[in-house]
Amino acid sequence: TLANLDSYIKKDLKPSLFYHSAYNSGQFERKQFALPFESNPVMMCINNDLLKKEGIELPNSSWTLNDFYSICKKVTKDTDGDGVIDQYGSLGYGWEEALAAYNVKLFNETGTEAYFNTKRVRSALALVTKLKSLNGNYNVTLKDFDEGKVAFYPMTLAQYRTYKPYPYHVAKYSSFSWSCVEMPSQKPNTAKIQINTSLYAMSSKTSQSKLAWEFLKLLCANKKSQQQLFEESQGASVLKSVMNSQASKNLLQNDSFGSKALTVNTLDNMMRKAKTTPKFKSYNTIYEKAGYLITKSLEENTVENDLSDIQKEIEEELKKNHSGIPHGGFVIRTGKTGWNKENNHVIEYSLKLDSNPEFTSCVIVAYARAAYRLYKEGQSGCKTVFDIAPAYLSAKDGAELRKSLL
């Protein structure tokens, strides 16, 4: 278990040093269990040259979804007259970006309620569908962006700072000029910026709590350490003073994308507007399932009919999460292959149990069986579940397994 840091913070640390969202990411049930270390906000990267060619002014921080869609619609065209669209508005703008633009909250703080079947969610997902329809059936790729054919591409700060276009061995950076602004919102300056924050905490069982706390402060609240982190890592510092320092300004002005591509002011504004992710039991698993269902609905163009079903399915997951002993689960893993990551793959695992205690006891017995077999082979030492081959778990021998399962 993690130590509650509230008493330590009250004595010698000012929460106001940190960006609000970054600091709150370390809270659970209004108690501080971790300090923020590094944040990774999402921003909109813009092909300046493409917009200039089309006679379009660069967006500023107060731009709206109407501005975004209007520009995408204007630049999406067949530029060489062969009847095929070869210039595009956006790449990678999906349901998460749209929900953030509408400032949608999918769950309450305690994870007892979900809000998927709402007007705002429908409007956000309708925008994603409209953007996709601009390109016909073509799937815009990163290669298109690298070649200067795409106006907008949402990137995390880490993606931006490590960006290398295709093909990697030919050019270090793209030839067109860049700029980065905050993501567009439904109404001016109302969007919540998507952000991920890494945290550090200490064990409640540590015998060196004072030393551990000093180390936490050194990592997370020390300006020199955080400045070095911003210079050598890919994300943003969680300290306001570091993100507004002259050293940070110089670093961004001297990056390979140009002195005006990304500014300290832009980053500071994004960090201040970042939204805090809910923290409740099984949030990541439930959110991943919701993402899978929404993505599938968008791909099949059945959002209007599916949202009520998605709402019910997520509500059932939340009920299981708060009903005492869960008796099932649903795990989804996705991946991409291909030169341009154009092929999507999904692996689904589901678990439905009449008796969770009985199932758990069977798992324990299976691993006891594996431990005995390893002992008979003369193996010893610490093993994790990743180290145990499935054949060691089954009561059947190898011949029976091959006969019944292969």
Side-chain angles (χ1 to χ4, degrees):
T1 58
L2 301 180
N4 185 337
L5 302 180
D6 287 342
S7 61
Y8 297 92
I9 293 169
K10 188 176 181 179
K11 289 180 181 178
D12 66 344
L13 185 63
K14 294 180 179 179
S16 59
L17 294 172
F18 302 97
Y19 286 102
H20 181 72
S21 174
Y23 182 76
N24 282 357
S25 65
Q27 291 184 359
F28 181 73
E29 295 182 349
R30 302 185 183 277
K31 297 176 183 178
Q32 199 76 27
F33 288 95
L35 292 182
F37 176 66
E38 184 178 27
S39 289
N40 192 21
V42 175
M43 56 193 180
M44 185 66 83
C45 294
I46 304 172
N47 183 332
N48 295 347
D49 294 347
L50 193 154
L51 294 194
K52 184 177 181 180
K53 181 186 72 172
E54 297 294 339
I56 301 172
E57 290 187 10
L58 292 177
N60 56 39
S61 60
S62 62
W63 68 320
T64 66
L65 290 177
N66 286 337
D67 300 326
F68 174 51
Y69 180 76
S70 177
I71 296 173
C72 287
K73 186 175 181 180
K74 185 173 181 179
V75 303
T76 302
K77 60 176 65 174
D78 168 19
T79 62
D80 57 12
D82 66 354
V84 179
I85 294 174
D86 53 20
Q87 181 173 280
Y88 315 97
S90 66
L91 163 68
Y93 192 91
W95 65 272
E96 291 177 290
E97 289 77 14
L99 292 182
Y102 275 84
N103 199 8
V104 169
K105 184 171 70 171
L106 292 177
F107 307 96
N108 65 354
E109 288 187 9
T110 57
T112 57
E113 297 179 4
Y115 315 110
F116 287 83
N117 192 20
T118 67
K119 183 178 180 180
R120 292 169 74 86
V121 171
R122 290 179 184 276
S123 297
L125 298 185
L127 171 65
V128 178
T129 301
K130 284 173 62 179
L131 288 169
K132 184 179 178 181
S133 67
L134 289 177
N135 306 319
N137 294 321
Y138 181 71
N139 181 32
V140 183
T141 67
L142 185 58
K143 183 173 182 289
D144 294 318
F145 179 77
D146 294 339
E147 293 176 349
K149 299 177 182 178
V150 184
F152 300 113
Y153 181 25
M155 279 190 188
T156 65
L157 176 61
Q159 283 179 293
Y160 169 82
R161 295 182 72 181
T162 57
Y163 178 73
K164 301 290 184 295
Y166 173 93
Y168 306 102
H169 57 280
V170 173
K172 186 178 182 184
Y173 298 113
S174 293
S175 58
F176 57 86
S177 62
W178 293 52
S179 63
C180 299
V181 298
E182 297 169 34
M183 298 292 286
S185 53
Q186 181 195 15
K187 297 177 181 178
N189 298 309
T190 60
K192 291 294 184 181
I193 303 299
Q194 299 164 267
I195 191 169
N196 286 316
T197 298
S198 56
L199 307 165
Y200 275 101
M202 67 180 186
S203 171
S204 62
K205 298 180 180 180
T206 179
S207 60
Q208 300 291 333
S209 58
K210 290 183 179 180
L211 188 61
W213 172 243
E214 291 301 319
F215 186 55
L216 276 183
K217 289 194 298 177
L218 176 65
L219 291 172
C220 304
N222 181 277
K223 186 175 180 180
K224 184 178 179 180
S225 298
Q226 281 284 307
Q227 186 69 60
Q228 185 177 2
L229 174 73
F230 183 60
E231 292 171 2
E232 297 183 2
S233 187
Q234 292 80 41
S237 169
V238 295
L239 296 181
K240 299 173 187 176
S241 59
V242 170
M243 292 315 303
N244 287 284
S245 71
Q246 187 61 47
S248 295
K249 293 178 183 178
N250 294 340
L251 179 69
L252 292 178
Q253 286 177 351
N254 295 326
D255 77 10
S256 301
F257 298 108
S259 61
K260 296 182 180 179
L262 178 62
T263 67
V264 160
N265 287 340
T266 298
L267 270 179
D268 180 62
N269 286 334
M270 289 191 295
M271 292 293 291
R272 292 179 186 275
K273 295 179 181 179
K275 66 176 183 178
T276 303
T277 302
K279 293 288 188 303
F280 57 82
K281 184 181 176 183
S282 300
Y283 168 79
N284 290 335
T285 300
I286 293 174
Y287 184 81
E288 191 170 349
K289 178 175 183 177
Y292 167 73
L293 294 173
I294 291 173
T295 300
K296 182 179 179 183
S297 183
L298 286 169
E299 290 175 348
E300 296 175 353
N301 200 25
T302 55
V303 170
E304 282 297 318
N305 296 326
D306 291 347
L307 275 183
S308 59
D309 292 333
I310 293 174
Q311 173 75 24
K312 292 176 182 176
E313 194 162 343
I314 297 303
E315 284 178 343
E316 286 299 315
E317 289 295 323
L318 292 177
K319 287 179 182 178
K320 292 177 185 177
N321 195 40
H322 289 272
S323 61
I325 302 176
H327 299 295
F330 192 89
V331 178
I332 303 163
R333 288 293 178 266
T334 61
K336 293 178 180 289
T337 60
W339 286 109
N340 300 305
K341 305 298 183 184
E342 67 272 18
N343 298 318
N344 298 308
H345 309 284
V346 179
I347 301 176
E348 300 179 35
Y349 302 94
S350 64
L351 190 67
K352 295 181 180 179
L353 311 174
D354 287 339
S355 173
N356 188 46
E358 290 181 15
F359 178 83
T360 303
S361 65
C362 289
V363 172
I364 293 172
V365 169
Y367 277 92
R369 180 184 298 115
Y372 176 74
R373 287 174 170 169
L374 291 169
Y375 168 76
K376 295 289 284 185
E377 293 177 359
Q379 296 192 46
S380 60
C382 180
K383 304 285 185 182
T384 71
V385 293
F386 300 111
D387 304 314
I388 308 302
Y392 284 103
L393 301 172
S394 176
K396 297 180 179 180
D397 61 24
E400 290 178 296
L401 287 173
R402 291 187 289 273
K403 181 179 179 181
S404 59
L405 296 180
L406 284 182

